[in-house]
Amino acid sequence: MNAPTDISPQDGRALEALMAFWAEAGVDTAFEDAPVDRLAAPAPPPPVPVRPTAPVALAAAGTADPDTAAAEARALAAACADLDALAAAIAAFEGCPLKGMGARQAVFSRGRPDAPLMIIGEGPGAEEDARGQPFVGRAGQLLDRMLTAAGLADQVFITNTVFWRPPGNRTPSPEEQRVCAPFVERAFALVRPRVVLLLGAAAARSVLRAEEGVMKLRGQWKDWRLPEGAIEAPVMTTLHPAFLLRQPQAKGAVWSDLLEVAARLDAGR
Ligand code: URA
């Protein structure tokens, strides 16, 4: 966007204050160069094609309905024989609407491909979006410190329910999670962890289809079983490390969940 040259210093200051307000509110990504008048009358719909057309590949990020996109994700994921192929398939996937909302890159995973413990968070934040790895910002550093203290740091494979940063770090929608879920499930099938740890309510909603609040869910063992095969593992939900940064007094609950997880891993050795 060209910088306007004819605004007064007063208008300039007002503009700066408005931008600071939006940035503070988490609106830090522009999707268009020009403003959009959302109140204007909608444009007439395009004419309906007269000839039937053959199915075509998805035109742009996130333009398919969630069911179609999830089916495409499932087919792509099923064809991946290892985690490198899965990472490449995710990076090339156009079906998640988040991909067209300002994310710089796909953020898939870090950790051991044969990890006994799979950890699933919500979705990448700003630091993860910039560096291309999950949980490398402040919440991730806290997670790493807790994993180290529990003796679990070298036993993990870490991913998220979605692979593109939601704008303004908002919670991913159930539709965005549904579209990405086949890739998460394929990662689960390829890593075959002995235990899964879900971080926060959004991860529990996506993986366990849990309706309960995270305070009620945390600390309980559930089961995650893939519909199509013999892949299953016990799942613990705990509080998200970003929540702990805001509410440090909740660290004790997460610590006790991590010790449960460590004990379960030890018991299965
Ligand atoms: N929060 C998440 O849920 N995932 C990340 O990767 C980073 C922060």
Short mmCIF file of all heavy atoms in Angstrom, two decimals, residues 107 121-125 128 133-137 139-140 159-160 199 240 242, ligand 1:
data_model
loop_
_atom_site.label_atom_id
_atom_site.label_comp_id
_atom_site.label_asym_id
_atom_site.label_seq_id
_atom_site.Cartn_x
_atom_site.Cartn_y
_atom_site.Cartn_z
N VAL A 107 3.49 -25.31 9.70
CA VAL A 107 4.28 -25.70 10.88
C VAL A 107 3.78 -27.08 11.27
O VAL A 107 2.64 -27.22 11.71
CB VAL A 107 4.03 -24.70 12.04
CG1 VAL A 107 4.78 -25.14 13.29
CG2 VAL A 107 4.42 -23.29 11.63
N GLY A 121 -0.74 -29.73 20.53
CA GLY A 121 -1.19 -28.42 20.99
C GLY A 121 -2.32 -27.91 20.12
O GLY A 121 -2.95 -28.67 19.37
N GLU A 122 -2.53 -26.60 20.20
CA GLU A 122 -3.68 -26.00 19.52
C GLU A 122 -3.33 -25.64 18.08
O GLU A 122 -3.84 -26.22 17.13
CB GLU A 122 -4.06 -24.76 20.34
CG GLU A 122 -5.22 -23.99 19.84
CD GLU A 122 -5.56 -22.86 20.82
OE1 GLU A 122 -5.69 -23.11 22.03
OE2 GLU A 122 -5.70 -21.71 20.35
N GLY A 123 -2.44 -24.69 17.93
CA GLY A 123 -2.02 -24.26 16.60
C GLY A 123 -0.84 -23.34 16.73
O GLY A 123 -0.60 -22.79 17.81
N PRO A 124 -0.07 -23.14 15.64
CA PRO A 124 1.14 -22.32 15.73
C PRO A 124 0.83 -20.87 16.10
O PRO A 124 -0.20 -20.32 15.70
CB PRO A 124 1.72 -22.38 14.32
CG PRO A 124 0.93 -23.38 13.56
CD PRO A 124 -0.32 -23.66 14.30
N GLY A 125 1.74 -20.26 16.86
CA GLY A 125 1.67 -18.82 17.15
C GLY A 125 2.65 -18.07 16.26
O GLY A 125 3.19 -18.63 15.30
N GLU A 128 6.23 -19.55 16.06
CA GLU A 128 6.23 -20.83 15.32
C GLU A 128 6.06 -20.56 13.83
O GLU A 128 6.70 -21.20 13.00
CB GLU A 128 5.07 -21.72 15.83
CG GLU A 128 5.28 -22.28 17.24
CD GLU A 128 5.04 -21.25 18.35
OE1 GLU A 128 4.35 -20.24 18.09
OE2 GLU A 128 5.55 -21.48 19.46
N GLN A 133 8.48 -24.29 13.28
CA GLN A 133 8.45 -25.43 14.21
C GLN A 133 7.44 -25.15 15.32
O GLN A 133 7.32 -23.99 15.77
CB GLN A 133 9.81 -25.61 14.86
CG GLN A 133 10.85 -26.19 13.93
CD GLN A 133 11.95 -26.88 14.74
OE1 GLN A 133 12.42 -26.32 15.71
NE2 GLN A 133 12.30 -28.07 14.34
N PRO A 134 6.75 -26.20 15.80
CA PRO A 134 5.77 -25.97 16.86
C PRO A 134 6.44 -25.72 18.21
O PRO A 134 7.52 -26.23 18.49
CB PRO A 134 4.97 -27.28 16.89
CG PRO A 134 5.87 -28.31 16.33
CD PRO A 134 6.78 -27.60 15.36
N PHE A 135 5.75 -24.94 19.03
CA PHE A 135 6.15 -24.72 20.42
C PHE A 135 7.60 -24.27 20.56
O PHE A 135 8.40 -24.89 21.26
CB PHE A 135 5.87 -25.96 21.28
CG PHE A 135 4.42 -26.10 21.64
CD1 PHE A 135 3.61 -27.02 20.98
CD2 PHE A 135 3.84 -25.29 22.60
CE1 PHE A 135 2.26 -27.13 21.29
CE2 PHE A 135 2.50 -25.39 22.92
CZ PHE A 135 1.71 -26.31 22.27
N VAL A 136 7.94 -23.18 19.86
CA VAL A 136 9.28 -22.61 20.02
C VAL A 136 9.21 -21.20 20.61
O VAL A 136 10.23 -20.56 20.81
CB VAL A 136 10.06 -22.59 18.69
CG1 VAL A 136 10.45 -24.00 18.26
CG2 VAL A 136 9.27 -21.89 17.59
N GLY A 137 8.00 -20.69 20.90
CA GLY A 137 7.85 -19.37 21.53
C GLY A 137 7.89 -19.51 23.05
O GLY A 137 8.39 -20.50 23.59
N ALA A 139 5.50 -20.06 25.27
CA ALA A 139 4.75 -21.22 25.79
C ALA A 139 5.56 -22.50 25.55
O ALA A 139 5.61 -23.39 26.41
CB ALA A 139 3.39 -21.31 25.12
N GLY A 140 6.20 -22.59 24.39
CA GLY A 140 7.00 -23.78 24.07
C GLY A 140 8.20 -23.91 24.99
O GLY A 140 8.57 -25.02 25.39
N THR A 159 3.23 -31.81 17.87
CA THR A 159 2.52 -31.23 16.72
C THR A 159 1.32 -30.44 17.24
O THR A 159 1.21 -30.19 18.44
CB THR A 159 2.15 -32.32 15.69
OG1 THR A 159 1.66 -31.70 14.50
CG2 THR A 159 1.10 -33.28 16.23
N ASN A 160 0.45 -30.03 16.33
CA ASN A 160 -0.72 -29.20 16.69
C ASN A 160 -1.96 -29.71 15.97
O ASN A 160 -1.85 -30.52 15.04
CB ASN A 160 -0.46 -27.75 16.25
CG ASN A 160 0.40 -26.98 17.24
OD1 ASN A 160 0.06 -26.88 18.42
ND2 ASN A 160 1.50 -26.44 16.75
N LEU A 199 -2.71 -30.66 24.87
CA LEU A 199 -2.51 -29.41 25.59
C LEU A 199 -3.68 -28.47 25.33
O LEU A 199 -3.81 -27.90 24.24
CB LEU A 199 -1.20 -28.75 25.14
CG LEU A 199 0.06 -29.60 25.33
CD1 LEU A 199 1.29 -28.85 24.83
CD2 LEU A 199 0.24 -30.00 26.79
N HIS A 240 -2.96 -25.87 28.81
CA HIS A 240 -2.03 -25.37 27.79
C HIS A 240 -0.95 -24.51 28.46
O HIS A 240 -1.27 -23.72 29.36
CB HIS A 240 -2.82 -24.56 26.77
CG HIS A 240 -2.05 -24.30 25.52
ND1 HIS A 240 -1.02 -23.40 25.47
CD2 HIS A 240 -2.15 -24.84 24.28
CE1 HIS A 240 -0.53 -23.38 24.23
NE2 HIS A 240 -1.19 -24.24 23.49
N ALA A 242 0.45 -21.88 27.45
CA ALA A 242 0.16 -20.44 27.33
C ALA A 242 -0.75 -19.99 28.48
O ALA A 242 -0.65 -18.87 28.97
CB ALA A 242 -0.50 -20.14 25.98
N1 URA B 1 0.66 -22.90 21.10
C1 URA B 1 0.28 -24.02 20.48
O1 URA B 1 -0.80 -24.55 20.75
N2 URA B 1 1.08 -24.55 19.59
C2 URA B 1 2.27 -24.02 19.28
O2 URA B 1 2.95 -24.57 18.45
C3 URA B 1 2.64 -22.85 19.95
C4 URA B 1 1.84 -22.30 20.85
#
